[in-house]
Amino acid sequence: MRSWAALLKLTGIFIYSTVVAPSHGLAAENLPDAGRLPVLFDAQERLPGADLSKVPRVRFLMSVDFPPFNFTDQDGRLVGFHVDLAREICAQLKIESKCQVQALPFDELEAAVEMGEGEAVMSGIASSADLRKSFSFTRPYILLPARFAVNKSAKLEGQSAAALSGRKVGVITNSRHETMLKAFFPKAAVNGFDGYEPMYEALKTGKIDAVFADGLRLPFWVAGTASEGCCAMFDGPYMSDRFLGEGFSIMTVDPENKLVPAFDQALAALSRNGRLEEIYRRYFPYGLF
C-alpha cells in the first residue's frame, strides 16, 4: 500500500494541494456514488477523555507517500486527510499551540514514536496483536472496505453481488481480498492476477466481468481516465474485521493513558458534529462506501 505515485498515475487522478481532483475528460456518469462515512462512535456514549493541559507537546508523525491521507503538495507542504484530521483533533481539544505535524519515511515511524520523537502516528496504521505489545491505539476513525467494480458491458441479472454467481471476478492473488471473495462469494469464478494493472486491463477489455479489490484504490481507477469509462462500482461496500482489519487508528506510546482517551473523545466529537464527514468528502470525492 505504498506505491501511490504509480497508482495515481495509472488511474488518471492527480493530487492538488487540498483536494483530490479528476484529470480532464472525466465523465460525470463514471463517478461512483460517494456514500456517507460509517458512524464508528455511538452518539449516546460518553467517553471519559483526559486532561492534556500538562502535556508539553503533541506531535503527529506521518509519512509523505500515502495520498490522499498524507502527501506533499506542489509547494512541498505536507497535506492530506490525516493532516486536516490532526488539526481538527487539536482544535477540538483546544491544544493548537502544542500541536505539530512531522513527516518521516514510513519505515521509521514506529522507532521514532518509541524514542519520543513524536507522540502519535497517523499514517494508515491498523492495530494488531503484535503492535499492541508496544503501542496504544485509539478507536478506528475510518474503515477501508472491499468493493466490486463491473464492466458496463457485462449483462448482469440484478444489482446485488448474487448477480456475479458464475461470472469471472478478478482479484489480486494471495491477497486478503482473494480470501474474502472466496469466503463471501463462493459461487464467483475467481480469476487471480499478480497486480492491479493487469487486473484493471482485463476488466476494461472484458476478459473478466468484475473485480473485487481495495475500496480505496478502486473508485479512483473507475473515476479516472485510465478506465476510459469502461466500468462502474457495483454493490457493497463490504467490511470485515476478520479479513480487512479494524480500520485505521492513531498509534501512540501512552504510559499515562492520557493521549488515547483524549484522542478518542475528540474523534467522537468530530464524528458527531460532522467535521469528520467533511474531511472525508474533501479527500474522497468518489467515496469509499
Side-chain angles (χ1 to χ4, degrees):
M1 196 181 251
R2 282 289 172 262
S3 58
W4 281 93
L7 167 65
L8 293 168
K9 181 178 179 182
L10 172 65
T11 59
I13 299 292
F14 297 91
I15 295 289
Y16 295 101
S17 59
T18 58
V19 297
V20 180
S23 61
H24 295 296
L26 179 64
E29 63 268 20
N30 296 334
L31 294 177
D33 178 29
R36 292 186 62 84
L37 188 66
V39 176
L40 300 178
F41 295 87
D42 188 336
Q44 304 302 316
E45 184 179 10
R46 293 295 174 260
L47 299 175
D51 181 9
L52 299 185
S53 61
K54 294 183 180 180
V55 174
R57 180 194 70 187
V58 178
R59 178 180 290 167
F60 292 91
L61 306 176
M62 55 189 71
S63 67
V64 298
D65 58 350
F66 191 30
F69 286 98
N70 26 278
F71 58 98
T72 52
D73 68 6
Q74 294 171 318
D75 298 320
R77 298 174 301 179
L78 185 64
V79 295
F81 177 94
H82 282 144
V83 177
D84 286 6
L85 181 56
R87 290 172 178 156
E88 288 290 343
I89 289 171
C90 293
Q92 183 66 38
L93 296 174
K94 297 180 171 55
I95 56 170
E96 295 100 317
S97 62
K98 301 177 181 182
C99 276
Q100 303 172 14
V101 174
Q102 180 178 341
L104 289 172
F106 182 79
D107 58 6
E108 296 179 13
L109 292 173
E110 288 185 27
V113 76
E114 281 187 303
M115 292 188 295
E117 296 178 14
E119 284 62 56
V121 173
M122 292 180 70
S123 196
I125 301 292
S127 65
S128 67
D130 286 341
L131 286 174
R132 286 187 181 277
K133 295 175 183 177
S134 303
F135 304 101
S136 299
F137 289 84
T138 65
R139 296 189 186 184
Y141 52 83
I142 194 168
L143 305 176
L144 294 184
R147 297 292 307 272
F148 282 109
V150 298
N151 189 299
K152 292 178 181 178
S153 65
K155 293 179 171 47
L156 301 178
E157 297 181 1
Q159 298 299 313
S160 74
L164 296 173
S165 178
R167 296 296 189 127
K168 296 179 180 179
V169 179
V171 71
I172 301 300
T173 300
N174 296 325
S175 68
R176 57 187 177 176
H177 295 101
E178 181 182 40
T179 306
M180 185 175 174
L181 177 65
K182 291 178 178 178
F184 282 23
F185 309 102
K187 295 183 179 180
V190 177
N191 283 235
F193 292 85
D194 292 332
Y196 273 86
E197 188 167 0
M199 182 175 72
Y200 288 155
E201 184 64 20
L203 179 63
K204 185 166 66 173
T205 57
K207 293 179 180 178
I208 56 177
D209 301 301
V211 298
F212 187 69
D214 179 6
L216 173 57
R217 294 171 182 251
L218 199 51
F220 280 100
W221 180 79
V222 168
T225 55
S227 69
E228 299 179 358
C230 70
C231 305
M233 301 302 294
F234 185 77
D235 204 16
Y238 297 96
M239 290 170 279
S240 168
D241 289 355
R242 176 185 172 191
F243 295 109
L244 303 178
E246 298 177 1
F248 289 169
S249 301
I250 304 173
M251 184 175 77
T252 75
V253 174
D254 191 21
E256 297 182 4
N257 194 35
K258 288 186 176 181
L259 293 175
V260 168
F263 291 161
D264 277 340
Q265 187 180 61
L267 288 168
L270 296 173
S271 175
R272 292 164 186 161
N273 66 22
R275 293 294 291 149
L276 185 58
E277 175 85 18
E278 181 180 330
I279 299 170
Y280 161 70
R281 290 190 175 277
R282 186 180 306 158
Y283 290 98
F284 299 97
Y286 314 124
L288 298 175
F289 304 95

